Amino acid sequence: MCRLLAYLGRPIQLDRLLLKPEHSLVAQSYEPREMTSGVVNADGFGIGWYDPDRDVDPFTYKNLLPIWNDTNLPHLSRYIETGTFLGCVRSATAGQDVTLSNCPPFGDRRIMAVHNGFIDNFRKTLYRPIRNKLEDDIYQQIGGTTDTEHIFALFLSLLDVTADHHRQAHPPLTSALHSTLTILTELARPEGVKFSANFIITDGHQLVASRFAHQTGAPTLYWLRDDPNFPDSVMIASEPLFEGDWHKCPEESIITVGENLDINIHQI
């Protein structure tokens, strides 16, 4: 099980999120409090962020080292300032390679995603069914072997469709994530395949996150808005980073954070 962190709001220096909180993402990598599988998150990490002043695709930094062993990160995180950020410390599912191509965040142009969860026995269960549902250009973009990247590819395949059909309902990212989880459940149900899918997705202007599982418990996920030390912002995290007014996301739900930081939660 990985540990996730997302931030949307007033631009801040990245070390205030990654390093300085008492239970920062770095601390969660070696001393997680709420993981249900595994002990540490030592199989690499990745961060992604958007430039607050330029309308360009996001930037990423990944490493196969445990995050606590990366001596460059403290320097980079003091340099980077951003208003939209995703981070993940990875605990690789058994049998999945520890390579940069398997390291989150995964992205496509303006969109990035991170995932905490698993598909049980992925290569023998949902690997082919998911691939069969992908648009060819998205299929060709898959560079790794993880269930995460395949679920993200399914999401991308559904994104344009849901944007066309749900313009008057939920925003396209939210609708596409809802459709992705629905299809995963439909594929998993006949064979009794367990999976969990805590996803956080962003296009730089909003956050969309799920807390969801099928035939197993959903990993923890929390949100926090306008903490006194982080005004005009929303955070979403696998575990609280510090003492504060953190709210546990309901199971089987999607949380959407808009550009104005309004939070909407709906059940799946």
Side-chain angles (χ1 to χ4, degrees), residues 15-35:
D15 63 341
R16 293 186 59 198
L17 294 172
L18 278 178
L19 304 175
K20 291 186 177 181
E22 60 194 57
H23 194 53
S24 68
L25 199 61
V26 174
Q28 291 180 36
S29 68
Y30 59 79
E31 197 173 15
R33 296 170 179 167
E34 300 189 47
M35 280 177 61

Side-chain angles (χ1 to χ4, degrees), residues 34-253:
E34 300 189 47
M35 280 177 61
T36 57
S37 176
V39 178
V40 295
N41 296 277
D43 297 320
F45 70 95
I47 60 175
W49 68 95
Y50 294 77
D51 190 296
D53 300 315
R54 295 183 295 158
D55 186 23
V56 295
D57 290 349
F59 303 91
T60 60
Y61 176 71
K62 305 179 183 184
N63 201 323
L64 299 183
L65 288 172
I67 194 171
W68 66 79
N69 277 344
D70 188 322
T71 58
N72 292 316
L73 189 62
H75 302 282
L76 284 173
S77 63
R78 286 193 298 110
Y79 173 77
I80 296 167
E81 184 173 275
T82 182
T84 312
F85 163 81
L86 292 184
C88 177
V89 288
R90 185 178 180 222
S91 177
T93 302
Q96 293 187 358
D97 295 337
V98 180
T99 63
L100 285 177
S101 60
N102 283 344
C103 193
F106 295 100
D108 179 73
R109 291 162 294 186
R110 294 286 301 180
I111 298 173
M112 292 193 300
V114 290
H115 170 224
N116 174 29
F118 70 97
I119 295 176
D120 195 29
N121 204 11
F122 173 57
R123 294 285 293 192
K124 294 183 178 180
T125 56
L126 299 191
Y127 176 80
R128 177 60 67 86
I130 289 175
R131 284 188 161 230
N132 288 342
K133 289 189 173 292
L134 302 181
E135 298 292 334
D136 186 65
D137 59 332
I138 294 173
Y139 179 99
Q140 298 297 333
Q141 292 176 26
I142 296 176
T145 60
T146 62
D147 47 12
T148 300
E149 188 178 12
H150 283 75
I151 299 172
F152 181 59
L154 178 60
F155 167 85
L156 292 174
S157 291
L158 294 166
L159 185 58
D160 290 339
V161 175
T162 55
D164 290 338
H165 289 284
H166 294 271
R167 293 190 188 279
Q168 304 304 317
H170 302 295
L173 293 185
T174 303
S175 297
L177 182 55
H178 189 285
S179 297
T180 300
L181 298 173
T182 299
I183 289 175
L184 281 176
T185 303
E186 291 171 352
L187 294 175
R189 185 180 290 119
E191 304 300 327
V193 177
K194 299 177 183 179
F195 74 84
S196 58
N198 280 18
F199 260 86
I200 308 177
I201 300 170
T202 184
D203 60 2
H205 302 289
Q206 61 183 313
L207 299 176
V208 177
S210 61
R211 186 182 180 209
F212 188 81
H214 176 68
Q215 294 192 347
T216 187
T220 57
L221 196 68
Y222 297 84
W223 64 270
L224 172 71
R225 178 174 177 177
D226 292 335
D227 183 82
N229 293 315
F230 297 91
D232 303 320
S233 73
V234 173
M235 296 184 205
I236 300 176
S238 296
E239 301 181 15
L241 278 67
F242 45 79
E243 291 293 329
D245 190 24
W246 293 88
H247 303 270
K248 184 173 284 189
C249 299
E251 293 195 36
E252 319 301 304
S253 70

